[in-house]
Amino acid sequence: QSVLTQPPSASGTPGQRVTISCSGSASNIGTNVVNWYQQLPGSAPRLLMYNNNQRPSGVPDRFSGSKSGTSASLAISGLQSEDEADYYCAAWDDRPNGPVFGGGTKLTVL
Amino acid sequence: QVQLVQSGSELKKPGASVKISCKASGYTFSSYAMNWVRQAPGQGLEWMGWINTNTGDPKYAQAFTGRFVFSWDKSLTTAYLEITTLKADDTAVYYCARDPSRLDVWGQGTTVTVSS
């Protein structure tokens, strides 16, 4: 049982826009920033978005993030086949005093 | 470039121990705590804790106290995860990742398989 809640799956066709939600509580998303990770099949996770909506160098601007209250979302516009991956949200949680993750969302490009 | 390179896959019997390494390069090792993250087969990511790479002080997530030990060798810019008294459900990929607030750089992962 993950601390943050994500839908287990999402899908879209090439060129579409998809969003992935992440729900938490006051002790994590409500008071701390959200980061997103992309895990391609058979690979290690990589940081995709940090501080709610900041993209690390090399991440296309098709990816965007937002946060409101105790929820956050990741949007991918102009969906491409290479975006097919698992996506995880994470946020610092004041109770374990460390990062907590969502259960992950498997994105399928149809 | 900044990178974390982990040791290779391990196959161990129940009750044995395993020690995984994570070699950092391309940045000042002691400037960022090193985290460990577990991913069981077909499952999500689970933060195990971190080690302060300046002082060696470890912090363990609640589920990872007792059999899990974080250590480091500052001179080798390497962090270690040791798991003792291995059980079948320790079978997983273990990742090291820099900076607990962001987890911005990840190792390639080390697969530990526990099987008799």
Side-chain angles (χ1 to χ4, degrees):
Chain A
Q1 189 85 5
S2 301
V3 175
L4 306 182
T5 301
Q6 298 180 235
S9 64
S11 63
T13 56
Q16 268 191 331
R17 182 177 188 271
V18 297
T19 60
I20 298 171
S21 62
C22 176
S23 177
S25 66
S27 67
N28 43 65
I29 294 179
T31 50
N32 298 293
V33 297
V34 176
N35 302 321
W36 290 88
Y37 303 89
Q38 178 192 59
Q39 186 174 32
L40 296 170
S43 296
R46 73 151 175 163
L47 181 65
L48 190 69
M49 195 76 57
Y50 66 96
N51 290 0
N52 305 325
N53 56 15
Q54 301 299 301
R55 283 176 284 105
S57 172
V59 174
D61 60 6
R62 301 186 295 105
F63 294 88
S64 61
S66 64
K67 186 187 104 166
S68 178
T70 58
S71 294
S73 63
L74 175 72
I76 310 170
S77 60
L79 197 62
Q80 299 181 4
S81 59
E82 67 211 49
D83 299 332
E84 191 160 282
D86 293 325
Y87 292 85
Y88 293 90
C89 61
W92 194 270
D93 195 306
D94 298 334
R95 291 196 192 115
N97 198 26
V100 291
F101 289 97
T105 298
K106 184 176 184 62
L107 175 63
T108 301
V109 180
L110 302 169
Chain B
Q1 74 279 22
V2 176
Q3 62 177 351
L4 303 175
V5 178
Q6 298 184 225
S7 50
S9 298
E10 300 271 7
L11 173 61
K12 295 291 184 180
K13 295 189 183 305
S17 297
V18 68
K19 192 170 186 177
I20 300 165
S21 66
C22 171
K23 167 75 174 174
S25 61
Y27 71 97
T28 302
F29 180 68
S30 57
S31 294
Y32 299 89
M34 190 67 75
N35 300 263
W36 292 95
V37 177
R38 183 173 78 176
Q39 187 169 35
Q43 302 300 307
L45 305 171
E46 190 174 13
W47 178 71
M48 302 173 66
W50 77 64
I51 186 166
N52 183 318
T53 50
N54 198 34
T55 65
D57 184 32
K59 175 180 170 59
Y60 300 97
Q62 190 171 11
F64 297 97
T65 56
R67 298 187 299 114
F68 301 86
V69 179
F70 305 150
S71 60
W72 101 126
D73 187 324
K74 193 186 293 190
S75 66
L76 296 178
T77 65
T78 300
Y80 302 94
L81 164 64
E82 183 175 18
I83 310 171
T84 62
T85 318
L86 283 161
K87 307 174 182 179
D89 60 6
D90 291 323
T91 294
V93 179
Y94 293 85
Y95 295 101
C96 57
R98 188 181 78 163
D99 188 358
S101 67
R102 196 171 287 188
L103 302 175
D104 62 341
V105 181
W106 293 66
Q108 82 275 21
T110 296
T111 300
V112 174
T113 303
V114 183
S115 174
S116 54

